[in-house]
Amino acid sequence: MGFVMSCCFLLMLLCFACHVDGRYLEQSIFHAKKGSFADEEDIKIIATYSHSSGEVRMGIVRMKDLSNSWAWENPVDGNHGRINSLLVEKTMSNHSEMRFDGGSGTQYRPVPPSSPLKLKRQMMRQERRVLRTAELLQQGKEKDDQMVESAIERSKNLDTTVKGKYSIWRRDYENPNSDSTLKLMRDQIIMAKAYATIAKSKNNTSLYSALMKRSRESHQVTGEASSDAELHSSALDQAKAMGHILSLAKDQLYDCLTVARKLRGMLQSTEENVNALKKKSAFLTQLAAKTVPIPLHCLPLQLTADYYFMHYANKGDLDIEKIEDPSLYHYSIFSDNVLATSVVVNSTMQHAQEPEKHVFHIVTDKLNFAAMKMWFLVNPPAKATVQVENIDEFTWLNSSYCSVLRQLESARIKEYYFKANHPSSLSAGTENLKYRNPKYLSMLNHLRFYLPEVYPKLTKILFLDDDIVVQKDLTPLWSVDLHGMVNGAVETCKESFHRFDKYLNFSNPIISENFDPGACGWAYGMNMFDLKEWKKRKITEIYHRWQDMNEDRTLWKLGTLPPGLITFYNLIYPLDRRWHVLGLGYDPALNLTEIENAAVIHYNGNYKPWLDLAVSKYKPYWSKYVMFDNPYLRRCNISE
């Protein structure tokens, strides 16, 4: 029995050794005749094993009867050998262990049972893993290519005209090298965050902690600085320390593709955050622009109370002849803002050469009529005539005649403005946000299209918005020959975004067939209207026709400029740009020389000069015409 066991042991070793490189030895030490393992039917394997009962048994197995799934462990290196190409354990439920006593006492245990079906499933799973891996790699490559292309496109829009300045919004430090250390430190913070993320993904906690620590320290040093002059004295040392830790991170973690992917991911995330903040900023700006500050709310309340308590309602008889005299200089102002209107009148009169020839026609709403009238009764402009009217007393202005008034009273418009089932402006973004301003619901905003009806005895009138300031004598405008045009205005198409296609819906055939998308836009706010030509060309009827066609707001959104562009199409006489400079209510980068040389400056936009939002450098142009020593202004705490 010991001999048989030794033979079986040697046979097992030989069979394993012959199969290591996938080839079999062309000899046999167990067979009587010459041949190879191809003669498997003549080879018998005798083995002993322990039965589950504890009894030692012996069995004989022919080589040809072995399954292709029998496998044996090599006692030398632990690898699995194969018998007859593949050795897989035979399904023998009673074989708990096989012992071959070859002198070393080595025990050979078969690999746990694995059927051919399981092997097939394993191979299929492996194939699926390979295919999925290839698919993910391809998707990753496509995503990288898209991000690279997107980054290239964004880089084309970068303003490279300002070089050497990290913060182009600050003009305090014009030295090209004034913020080189600041730029370096902020770039270091970006790289530190990128490497920190990579280190965390690789479980390099010590490097991750060091990078985050240095990043926080650099943030503290830079703070809100916009130039090197504002940095802490330890900034340079901090930059050197950060450079050292970044060098270590590069040595350990740098991989071009990984770092590029991480930086692009950071860029995309930052852009999403910026867009979200822009939406919030636009919403809050619009909200602040619509809100009436407490001092401006106080002023009309004080004026109204005194108007009735002090019996001013029956005072201030007007000279009807001057109000209807077409030879004088007539202005129309439609506003519910007492303070703003007072600045328009005051600034105009301070530059008027013949103040007694100027007549101001102010129209306001019922709520502010008493306050507006009271202000000009107690603060009359020198020698000028001021007429204050209540729009609610214009009986001809009703929904049967006025298209826009009929639309404003419709359920559709009310739903557009007031229904709660509309998404909030903040969540929906800034699109059309400005058109939800309540001023578009006021007929004061649309009264400019009814000037001949409001002033039937006049032939010319200068229309002024309440957010303008007059800096020169305007009387020469009445001498300008409009050459048969209805509206004298300053064109605003110097920039491409002030053309018709930015205000009207040219995807609608009604618009595209009647107007040129590249036609030049013009400014409302200071307009000389020839009322004789207005009546001759039936401008109000044209306005009504287009308003009726736009009842569903598919031609343009709410507002007065788009219908003005349509109504006065090809009827605009371009005035010299120096008459009217716009943008003080939204553009902080206007040319100050142009502002100072302009006859009229216009705070169009959200940053009105009477709000805290106002651009600080533009506010003095407006505030110098405010009567801060007036008792009503002092009572309401209106000060510079």
Side-chain angles (χ1 to χ4, degrees):
M1 180 64 68
F3 175 76
V4 174
M5 292 291 293
S6 298
C7 289
C8 289
F9 179 71
L10 291 173
L11 176 61
M12 295 297 102
L13 290 177
L14 180 61
C15 290
F16 179 79
C18 292
H19 187 69
V20 169
D21 60 355
R23 294 174 289 117
Y24 295 100
L25 297 176
E26 295 182 359
Q27 58 182 348
S28 175
I29 64 173
F30 296 105
H31 204 276
K33 63 179 182 179
K34 282 188 178 182
S36 66
F37 284 140
D39 301 320
E40 294 172 351
E41 65 277 3
D42 295 329
I43 298 177
K44 296 180 180 179
I45 299 175
I46 303 174
T48 61
Y49 57 91
S50 298
H51 193 260
S52 59
S53 62
E55 180 183 356
V56 178
R57 294 185 179 184
M58 181 176 67
I60 298 176
V61 182
R62 290 183 178 275
M63 181 72 94
K64 67 179 182 179
D65 294 333
L66 291 178
S67 168
N68 287 335
S69 61
W70 276 54
W72 307 85
E73 186 176 300
N74 190 331
V76 178
D77 56 13
N79 294 328
H80 287 81
R82 301 277 180 178
I83 296 179
N84 196 23
S85 301
L86 288 171
L87 297 178
V88 183
E89 179 182 355
K90 191 133 179 105
T91 309
M92 299 173 64
S93 60
N94 293 332
H95 292 183
S96 60
E97 186 180 87
M98 304 187 79
R99 182 182 299 277
F100 301 95
D101 189 4
S104 63
T106 306
Q107 293 182 347
Y108 291 82
R109 291 182 175 84
V111 174
S114 178
S115 66
L117 183 60
K118 289 184 178 180
L119 286 174
K120 185 175 181 180
R121 285 200 296 266
Q122 291 175 1
M123 294 175 64
M124 292 176 65
R125 280 196 297 269
Q126 183 63 25
E127 290 177 359
R128 286 197 298 270
R129 290 192 190 101
V130 173
L131 292 175
R132 181 56 178 165
T133 301
E135 182 182 353
L136 291 174
L137 288 174
Q138 180 63 26
Q139 291 179 357
K141 184 177 183 301
E142 292 175 356
K143 190 66 175 178
D144 286 342
D145 293 342
Q146 292 176 1
M147 294 180 71
V148 169
E149 292 176 1
S150 178
I152 292 174
E153 289 299 320
R154 285 195 298 268
S155 66
K156 293 178 181 179
N157 298 325
L158 294 177
D159 184 8
T160 59
T161 58
V162 181
K163 299 180 179 180
K165 289 288 291 177
Y166 190 69
S167 176
I168 63 173
W169 301 105
R170 291 293 296 270
R171 299 176 180 272
D172 302 12
Y173 308 97
E174 293 300 334
N175 184 350
N177 299 318
S178 64
D179 59 356
S180 57
T181 303
L182 176 64
K183 183 180 185 302
L184 171 64
M185 294 186 69
R186 288 183 173 167
D187 289 344
Q188 285 179 334
I189 292 171
I190 295 172
M191 291 305 302
K193 289 181 179 179
Y195 278 128
T197 307
I198 298 172
K200 188 175 183 180
S201 66
K202 295 181 179 296
N203 294 323
N204 193 337
T205 56
S206 60
L207 183 57
Y208 169 79
S209 299
L211 287 166
M212 293 306 296
K213 177 183 177 183
R214 290 296 181 187
S215 179
R216 288 191 296 268
E217 291 174 351
S218 294
H219 265 302
Q220 292 175 357
V221 171
T222 56
E224 299 295 329
S226 58
S227 70
D228 288 356
E230 299 177 9
L231 289 175
H232 191 269
S233 57
S234 63
L236 191 57
D237 293 336
Q238 182 62 43
K240 291 179 180 179
M242 176 67 91
H244 177 69
I245 193 65
L246 286 176
S247 178
L248 294 177
K250 180 179 179 182
D251 293 339
Q252 298 182 35
L253 304 173
Y254 183 76
D255 175 73
C256 184
L257 182 60
T258 303
V259 174
R261 184 178 299 161
K262 175 52 61 179
L263 290 174
R264 285 197 294 270
M266 291 173 64
L267 176 62
Q268 187 174 10
S269 176
T270 303
E271 287 181 341
E272 291 175 356
N273 291 335
V274 168
N275 289 334
L277 291 174
K278 282 182 177 179
K279 288 183 178 181
K280 291 180 181 178
S281 175
F283 174 79
L284 294 174
T285 299
Q286 291 286 348
L287 182 62
K290 299 172 189 177
T291 304
V292 179
I294 293 177
L296 290 186
H297 184 65
C298 165
L299 181 61
L301 292 179
Q302 294 288 338
L303 290 167
T304 302
D306 286 354
Y307 179 79
Y308 290 108
F309 286 133
M310 300 175 69
H311 306 289
Y312 271 87
N314 300 321
K315 297 182 180 180
D317 294 334
L318 293 174
D319 187 346
I320 301 299
E321 292 184 0
K322 292 188 69 173
I323 291 175
E324 297 179 349
D325 187 355
S327 65
L328 301 179
Y329 308 120
H330 294 268
Y331 304 84
S332 66
I333 305 172
F334 305 145
S335 174
D336 58 0
N337 189 325
V338 177
L339 183 63
T341 304
S342 70
V343 170
V344 176
V345 175
N346 291 344
S347 62
T348 303
M349 294 312 301
Q350 285 193 27
H351 299 93
Q353 295 182 359
E354 299 177 289
E356 69 279 359
K357 293 185 178 181
H358 294 261
V359 181
F360 293 91
H361 303 269
I362 301 171
V363 181
T364 188
D365 55 19
K366 183 178 182 180
L367 183 64
N368 293 279
F369 172 73
M372 189 76 72
K373 193 169 183 180
M374 180 66 179
W375 175 268
F376 288 104
L377 286 174
V378 297
N379 302 290
K383 300 181 180 180
T385 301
V386 178
Q387 178 192 26
V388 179
E389 295 181 276
N390 181 1
I391 190 173
D392 292 322
E393 294 179 358
F394 295 166
T395 55
W396 53 269
L397 192 64
N398 51 63
S399 57
S400 63
Y401 173 68
C402 177
S403 301
V404 69
L405 185 58
R406 183 170 61 253
Q407 293 172 15
L408 291 175
E409 292 176 353
S410 69
R412 184 179 299 177
I413 292 294
K414 291 178 182 178
E415 181 179 356
Y416 178 75
Y417 274 97
F418 302 115
K419 288 296 184 182
N421 58 355
H422 283 282
S424 69
S425 299
L426 182 58
S427 62
T430 59
E431 184 180 3
N432 301 327
L433 179 59
K434 66 179 181 179
Y435 297 117
R436 293 181 183 268
N437 194 314
K439 74 176 185 179
Y440 295 116
L441 288 173
S442 172
M443 273 306 298
L444 287 174
N445 197 47
H446 299 272
L447 193 61
R448 64 192 68 189
F449 292 101
Y450 299 94
L451 289 174
E453 285 83 351
V454 180
Y455 311 111
K457 300 293 183 65
L458 301 181
T459 57
K460 272 190 175 184
I461 195 166
L462 184 64
F463 171 80
L464 298 176
D465 267 341
D466 63 0
D467 55 353
I468 64 102
V469 172
V470 178
Q471 301 185 127
K472 293 183 179 180
D473 183 23
L474 298 181
T475 53
L477 282 171
W478 276 265
S479 302
V480 173
D481 185 0
L482 299 182
H483 298 280
M485 299 300 173
V486 179
N487 183 356
V490 170
E491 293 182 332
T492 58
C493 56
K494 184 178 181 181
E495 299 83 9
S496 61
F497 57 86
H498 279 159
R499 297 185 182 274
F500 272 44
D501 60 340
K502 303 303 178 183
Y503 300 99
L504 306 177
N505 180 18
F506 275 87
S507 63
N508 191 305
I510 298 177
I511 295 295
S512 60
E513 292 172 3
N514 289 278
F515 304 100
D516 176 12
C520 192
W522 45 271
Y524 255 132
M526 191 217 68
N527 307 84
M528 177 59 71
F529 288 105
D530 187 333
L531 300 183
K532 291 178 63 177
E533 284 293 327
W534 184 306
K535 296 173 185 177
K536 178 180 177 181
R537 296 178 180 270
K538 300 181 179 180
I539 296 299
T540 303
E541 287 81 352
I542 295 174
Y543 168 71
H544 283 165
R545 185 169 68 251
W546 282 104
Q547 279 288 359
D548 290 338
M549 287 191 288
N550 191 49
E551 187 170 359
D552 56 358
R553 300 188 308 279
T554 58
L555 305 183
W556 68 85
K557 299 301 180 183
L558 294 177
T560 54
L561 181 56
L565 297 176
I566 287 178
T567 301
F568 297 102
Y569 186 59
N570 290 330
L571 296 174
I572 300 295
Y573 178 80
L575 299 175
D576 190 287
R577 290 181 180 274
R578 290 172 294 182
W579 281 112
H580 189 186
V581 170
L582 299 98
L584 280 77
Y586 69 89
D587 188 355
L590 294 176
N591 188 304
L592 295 181
T593 302
E594 290 185 3
I595 293 175
E596 293 168 357
N597 293 334
V600 171
I601 56 176
H602 194 171
Y603 291 83
N604 57 312
N606 288 320
Y607 306 146
K608 302 300 184 185
W610 54 84
L611 299 175
D612 291 336
L613 296 173
V615 181
S616 57
K617 63 181 177 181
Y618 299 153
K619 195 166 184 176
Y621 296 109
W622 181 83
S623 59
K624 67 182 179 181
Y625 297 106
V626 178
M627 302 166 60
F628 290 108
D629 58 344
N630 187 278
Y632 286 103
L633 270 59
R634 291 202 306 268
R635 196 183 307 174
C636 292
N637 296 319
I638 297 176
S639 58
E640 291 188 73

